[in-house]
């Protein structure tokens, strides 16, 4: 069939809804009715045949319409959708948690290197024990830095925090080889003191005695004895000094030896 016939059949099928039950009932009534007794025209005598033929034609049309309607209305069987299996979602590989790095053992603290200490130059110690400070007095003895292999000077630095009304300063230089007096000096006025220089008990002794009625003010004062000695480095290990003083606070005494000059 061409497209035009197909279209017309489809349109007829869509508008025609035959009632088969009703049509069959009418056919049965016609067949069961009594035969007509009056004469009819020859064309009418063949009504049953014509009715049967019409009925058959109707049946054919109805069947064809139903077939066409079935073709048109019956939706084609749905194709089995072949669903492609969903691609598996990529499995998220869990990020491997890095193992904690082993804790580095704290380095053992190295024992501190012993500090390099410049050995102190041994300070000569007099025969008596040292007492460098007492009451208002404080003292320090040293060998002057200008001393040579032939000559030396022993210095005494005396400090007082109170005025002194009485003062005796004595320097003892051990006679260990041609020790001879070459001079002396002090920072206080020479007229305030009585000075004696003599050898006594194997030593050259310098002695300053404050005159009566004189006063030594507070502050720092210097006393020095100068002498020649045998050629070479002279040891001052047996040298020493002693200071006796009187102040308003009472009597005080200090003594000690002579170390290298600072």
């Amino acid at each position: 069939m061409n497209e035009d016939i197909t279209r017309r059949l489809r349109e007829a099928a869509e508008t025609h809804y035959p009632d088969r039950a009703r049509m069959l009932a009418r056919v049965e009534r016609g067949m069961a009715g009594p035969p007509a007794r009056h004469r009819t025209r020859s064309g009418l005598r063949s009504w049953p045949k014509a009715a049967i033929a019409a009925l058959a034609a109707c049946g054919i049309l109805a069947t064809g319409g139903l077939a066409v309607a079935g073709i048109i209305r019956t939706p084609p069987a749905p194709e089995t959708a072949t669903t492609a299996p969903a691609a598996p979602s990529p499995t998220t590989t869990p990020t491997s948690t890095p193992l904690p790095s082993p804790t580095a053992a704290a380095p053992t603290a190295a024992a501190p290197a012993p500090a390099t200490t410049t050995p102190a130059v041994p300070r000569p110690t007099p025969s008596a024990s040292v007492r460098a400070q007492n009451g208002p007095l404080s003292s320090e003895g040293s060998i002057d830095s200008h001393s040579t292999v032939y000559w030396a000077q022993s210095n005494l630095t005396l400090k007082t925090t109170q005025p002194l009304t009485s003062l005796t300063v004595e320097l003892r230089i051990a006679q260990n080889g041609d020790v001879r007096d070459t001079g002396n000096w002090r920072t206080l006025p020479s007229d305030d003191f009585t000075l004696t220089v003599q050898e006594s008990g194997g030593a050259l002794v310098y002695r300053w005695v404050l005159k009566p009625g004189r006063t030594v003010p507070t502050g720092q004062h210097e006393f020095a004895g100068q002498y020649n000695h045998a050629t070479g480095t002279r040891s001052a290990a047996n040298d020493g000094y002693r200071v006796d003083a009187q102040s308003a606070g009472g009597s005080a005494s200090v003594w000690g030896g002579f170390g290298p000059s600072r």
Side-chain angles (χ1 to χ4, degrees), residues 124 140-148 151-157 169-174 179 181-186 204 206 208 222-229 234-241 256-261:
E140 181 179 16
S142 63
I143 301 298
D144 193 88
S145 60
H146 296 94
S147 299
T148 68
W151 173 91
Q153 175 176 298
S154 296
N155 299 327
L156 170 63
T157 300
V169 177
E170 185 178 278
L171 308 184
R172 297 182 63 85
I173 311 302
V179 175
D181 172 49
T182 60
N184 62 82
W185 57 268
R186 87 266 101 227
L204 178 62
Y206 296 85
W208 290 269
E222 303 287 338
F223 296 84
Q226 300 171 333
Y227 48 91
N228 287 335
H229 59 76
R234 179 183 175 277
S235 172
N238 295 319
D239 297 351
Y241 68 86
F258 297 95
S261 178

Side-chain angles (χ1 to χ4, degrees), residues 2 11 13 22 41 64 71 78 84 103 119 125 141 184 203 205 213 242 252 257 260:
N2 57 29
E11 292 176 357
R22 186 174 181 184
R41 290 178 294 183
I71 292 172
T103 304
T125 304
N184 62 82
V205 180
R242 181 182 177 92

Side-chain angles (χ1 to χ4, degrees), residues 187-232:
T187 56
L188 293 169
S190 60
D191 291 343
D192 290 350
F193 291 90
T194 300
L195 171 63
T196 59
V197 179
Q198 61 182 1
E199 289 196 19
S200 174
L204 178 62
V205 180
Y206 296 85
R207 181 181 292 116
W208 290 269
V209 179
L210 184 66
K211 294 178 179 180
R214 308 294 176 92
T215 303
V216 175
T218 59
Q220 177 173 306
H221 311 288
E222 303 287 338
F223 296 84
Q226 300 171 333
Y227 48 91
N228 287 335
H229 59 76
T231 303

Side-chain angles (χ1 to χ4, degrees), residues 78-143:
E79 296 181 2
T80 304
T82 304
T83 305
S89 60
T91 304
T92 302
T93 304
T95 304
S96 58
T97 304
L99 295 176
S101 59
T103 304
T108 304
T116 303
T117 304
T118 303
V121 177
R123 169 170 292 205
T125 304
S127 56
S129 60
V130 177
R131 184 167 76 177
Q133 184 171 358
N134 179 235
L137 303 180
S138 60
S139 61
E140 181 179 16
S142 63
I143 301 298

